């Protein structure tokens, strides 16, 4: 075994090896030296365990280069989302429009007027440009931007009802991804939750009976990630606003995945819009920027000027505020809504949600020959109708007709499907599908660059 250890090259000799010079130029001496020392340790451990040298011992420079490339690879890698979920939380939710991407790039290349007012050279408010657009699109008096909708809910509660009661229907005590629950947020905000009604039915009289001298506000929560059907009843915002006015209480609504457009105009299921609730008299409405809106991750609050001022002045606002990149992307996204006639093509989220099934089928038919040639020995491929979902808690029970290419193992072993998906996850641009009914499904709804997929899967 001592003979094996003696065959390990010295660091100094490796650093002088001409084959290692490209890595030294690319990564520097310190990084390369650390890499080689780690390889020596791995080689010693391999000798101790197997009484033999590792397979790569004859080509240290090549192995060092391979490891360096692996370590320097970004953790946020582009993937092909063929899962059938358009707004996939684990894959980054909404894809930004080209206009938003250009806006972010521009604000990174030079100084920008983030908090600088050009008219009088004073310090401005970073939400101002986006606020004006949101007021134009929703009819609200003012707007506030934070880093996500969970933060928006926390800020509204903490600023408007600390130490006081907040009345919510039992059927609206939602939990979203990551175990984020409305009751937990209430506690963090220093509020006392008062539940009214039942899971499936809540009436105006339930809210009226619960109002006390310690009531801080009435709250509605849109159940965007589930639906209760059957024998149900919920109180409309307009009714709640009228009741709240009798007691001089504010009404806030958490819309979650709120959309700024009428989804039915694009043959999609209806979703409540912030402008509808503002028109109904709701004092504050919050919603996400990276769901149906199709922009960057952000929590958007629109509503009455006096209440927005309270939010802006609360200490939590500074902790929850967004940076210039988010504001640039959000402003550019909102600009697209000024031209609804071009929105479908300009906004990737809407474009993917509204892809006609016949176009997806034609795409599958174009892909089949190349994929069959590459995988026919191991798998039986076919085109199958399937259903996509919107995702990220938006319209949870609605499905979008789509088509997928399915892979069925010829040996009838599910392990071969697992091996295939694992292999695809190691590709330079990983391919992510879903395994269901003993098959691997590649739902093509979100595939726009089919040539790149063919190159990836047939290389």
């Amino acid at each position: 075994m001592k003979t094996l250890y003696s065959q390990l090259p010295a660091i100094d000799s490796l650093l002088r090896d001409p084959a290692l010079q490209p890595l030294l130029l690319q990564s520097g001496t310190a990084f390369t030296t650390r890499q080689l020392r780690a390889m020596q340790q791995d080689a010693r451990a391999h000798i101790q365990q197997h009484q033999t040298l590792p397979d790569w011992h004859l080509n240290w420079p090549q192995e060092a280069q391979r490891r360096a490339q692996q370590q320097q690879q970004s953790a946020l890698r582009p993937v092909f989302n063929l899962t059938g979920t358009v707004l996939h939380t684990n894959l980054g939710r909404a894809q930004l429009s080209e206009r938003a991407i250009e806006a972010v790039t521009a604000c990174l290349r030079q100084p920008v007027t983030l908090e600088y007012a050009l008219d009088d050279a004073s310090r401005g408010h970073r939400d101002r440009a986006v606020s004006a657009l949101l007021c134009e699109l929703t009819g609200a008096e003012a707007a506030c931007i934070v880093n996500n909708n969970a933060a928006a809910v926390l800020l509204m509660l903490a600023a408007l009802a600390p130490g006081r009661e907040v009345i919510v229907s039992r059927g609206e005590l939602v939990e979203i991804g990551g175990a984020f629950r409305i009751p937990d947020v209430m506690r963090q905000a220093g509020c006392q939750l008062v539940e009214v009604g039942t899971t499936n039915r809540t009436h105006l009289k339930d809210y009226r009976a619960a109002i006390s001298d310690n009531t801080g506000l009435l709250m509605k929560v849109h159940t965007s990630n589930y639906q209760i059907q059957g024998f149900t009843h919920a109180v409309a915002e307009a009714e709640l606003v009228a009741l709240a006015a009798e007691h001089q209480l504010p009404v806030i609504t958490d819309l979650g995945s709120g959309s700024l457009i009428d989804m039915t105009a694009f043959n999609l299921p209806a979703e409540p819009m912030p402008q509808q609730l503002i028109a109904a008299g709701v004092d504050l409405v919050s919603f996400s920027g990276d769901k149906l809106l199709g922009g960057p991750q952000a929590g958007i609050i629109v509503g009455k000027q006096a209440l927005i001022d309270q939010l802006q002045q609360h200490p939590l606002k500074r902790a929850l505020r967004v940076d210039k990149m988010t504001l640039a992307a959000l402003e550019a996204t909102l600009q697209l809504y000024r031209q609804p006639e071009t929105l479908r093509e300009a906004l990737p989220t809407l474009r993917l949600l509204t892809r006609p099934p016949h176009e997806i089928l034609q795409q599958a038919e174009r892909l089949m020959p190349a994929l069959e040639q590459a995988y026919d020995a191991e798998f039986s491929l076919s085109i199958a109708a399937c259903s996509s979902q919107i995702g990220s808690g938006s319209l949870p029970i609605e499905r979008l007709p789509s088509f997928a290419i399915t892979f069925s193992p010829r040996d009838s072993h599910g392990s071969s499907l697992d091996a295939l998906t694992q292999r695809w996850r190691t590709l330079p641009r990983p391919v992510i599908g879903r395994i269901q009914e003993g098959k691997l499904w590649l739902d093509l709804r979100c595939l726009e660059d089919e040539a790149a997929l063919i190159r990836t899967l047939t290389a």
Side-chain angles (χ1 to χ4, degrees):
M1 190 176 295
K2 289 183 179 179
T3 304
L4 293 176
Y5 286 126
S6 67
Q7 295 182 45
L8 300 180
I11 299 294
D12 288 345
S13 65
L14 286 169
L15 291 173
R16 291 192 297 271
D17 190 329
L20 202 67
Q21 297 313 300
L23 179 58
L24 282 165
L25 290 172
Q26 176 186 350
S27 303
T29 304
F31 175 87
T32 305
T33 301
R34 288 196 302 270
Q35 188 74 261
L36 294 174
R37 284 176 179 157
M39 290 172 62
Q40 279 190 335
Q41 293 283 55
D42 290 347
R44 292 189 184 101
H46 191 278
I47 291 170
Q48 186 174 8
Q49 184 175 358
H50 302 286
Q51 289 76 53
T52 183
L53 289 163
D55 295 339
W56 44 263
H57 80 281
L58 295 176
N59 201 334
W60 282 66
Q62 183 179 353
E63 175 66 10
Q65 183 72 47
R66 185 193 69 79
R67 292 189 180 200
Q69 289 175 347
Q70 189 175 43
Q71 289 183 22
Q72 294 170 353
Q73 194 172 52
S74 172
L76 297 177
R77 297 170 58 189
V79 302
F80 289 97
N81 175 16
L82 306 182
T83 62
T85 301
V86 178
L87 296 172
H88 200 302
T89 298
N90 298 346
L91 300 181
R93 290 188 179 170
Q95 298 172 214
L96 292 186
S97 67
E98 288 303 314
R99 188 165 177 174
I101 293 168
E102 291 168 3
V104 172
T105 303
C107 86
L108 292 176
R109 292 190 186 279
Q110 59 262 315
V112 294
T113 54
L114 177 63
E115 293 184 357
Y116 185 87
L118 290 171
D119 51 358
D120 59 1
S122 64
R123 179 171 181 171
H125 198 285
R126 65 173 56 200
D127 291 356
R128 69 192 185 284
V130 176
S131 295
L133 266 172
L134 284 165
C135 292
E136 174 189 326
L137 294 168
T138 66
E141 296 176 6
C144 174
I145 315 299
V146 290
N147 60 3
N148 61 23
N149 190 53
V153 175
L154 177 65
L155 179 59
M156 290 191 296
L157 292 170
L160 303 184
R164 305 190 69 186
E165 297 175 348
V166 177
I167 302 175
V168 185
S169 167
R170 283 191 176 88
E172 298 173 5
L173 297 178
V174 304
E175 175 183 317
I176 63 173
F180 174 92
R181 295 177 172 181
I182 289 295
D184 296 337
V185 179
M186 292 275 189
R187 284 190 291 272
Q188 290 296 321
C191 304
Q192 181 181 344
L193 170 65
V194 176
E195 304 174 25
V196 295
T198 62
T199 302
N200 59 320
R201 292 177 69 81
T202 301
H203 303 274
L204 189 64
K205 63 182 180 181
D206 298 319
Y207 289 94
R208 186 184 298 278
I211 293 175
S212 71
D213 292 339
N214 195 38
T215 300
L217 58 83
L218 309 184
M219 183 177 182
K220 288 279 291 180
V221 182
H222 177 48
T223 56
S224 57
N225 62 353
Y226 71 95
Q227 285 190 6
I228 301 173
Q229 296 181 322
F231 186 56
T232 64
H233 185 271
V235 178
E237 276 81 0
E239 294 180 83
L240 209 56
V241 166
L243 173 63
E246 296 176 19
H247 300 270
Q248 297 181 319
L249 293 171
V251 176
I252 69 171
T253 297
D254 168 16
L255 269 187
S257 58
S259 172
L260 289 178
I261 56 172
D262 179 5
M263 303 295 283
T264 62
F266 298 92
N267 296 318
L268 294 169
E271 183 80 352
M273 296 184 287
Q275 52 267 49
Q276 295 172 330
L277 303 188
I278 293 297
V282 175
D283 296 283
L284 291 179
V285 181
S286 75
F287 52 99
S288 294
D290 60 341
K291 293 186 180 181
L292 292 177
L293 185 68
Q297 177 180 299
I300 301 168
I301 308 169
V302 295
K304 301 289 175 58
Q305 180 74 62
L307 297 182
I308 293 292
D309 288 344
Q310 286 185 242
L311 305 187
Q312 298 287 13
Q313 294 162 12
H314 194 277
L316 268 179
K317 174 54 166 63
R318 184 171 182 84
L320 302 174
R321 69 181 184 178
V322 297
D323 68 348
K324 61 182 179 181
M325 293 180 287
T326 300
L327 288 169
L330 182 56
E331 181 184 17
T333 302
L334 293 172
Q335 291 279 7
L336 297 176
Y337 282 84
R338 285 175 156 172
Q339 299 174 287
E341 65 276 5
T342 62
L343 190 60
R344 182 184 178 277
E345 287 306 313
L347 198 65
T349 294
L350 191 57
R351 186 169 67 240
L352 296 176
L353 290 175
T354 58
R355 285 191 70 191
H358 73 271
E359 287 186 7
I360 303 175
L361 175 58
Q362 292 169 358
Q363 186 178 53
E365 292 169 343
R366 290 193 297 270
L367 289 168
M368 275 292 284
L371 295 181
E372 281 185 317
Q373 184 176 356
Y375 293 94
D376 186 64
E378 298 177 80
F379 301 93
S380 173
L381 277 68
S382 63
I383 298 174
C386 64
S387 296
S388 306
Q389 61 180 0
I390 294 173
S392 291
S394 303
L395 299 167
I397 67 172
E398 304 297 340
R399 292 294 180 265
L400 308 172
S402 185
F403 285 90
I405 295 178
T406 67
F407 290 66
S408 301
R410 293 193 181 280
D411 59 7
S412 300
H413 292 307
S415 59
S416 57
L417 284 181
D418 293 333
L420 180 63
T421 58
Q422 184 175 6
R423 190 163 81 233
W424 283 358
R425 289 196 299 271
T426 65
L427 293 170
R429 182 178 174 185
V431 177
I432 314 296
R434 70 175 187 270
I435 294 179
Q436 183 180 336
E437 301 171 356
K439 301 177 182 179
L440 172 60
W441 297 68
L442 299 185
D443 187 324
L444 303 179
R445 172 165 291 279
C446 294
L447 178 64
E448 296 194 290
D449 191 349
E450 57 189 77
L453 179 67
I454 290 177
R455 287 195 302 270
T456 298
L457 291 183
T458 61

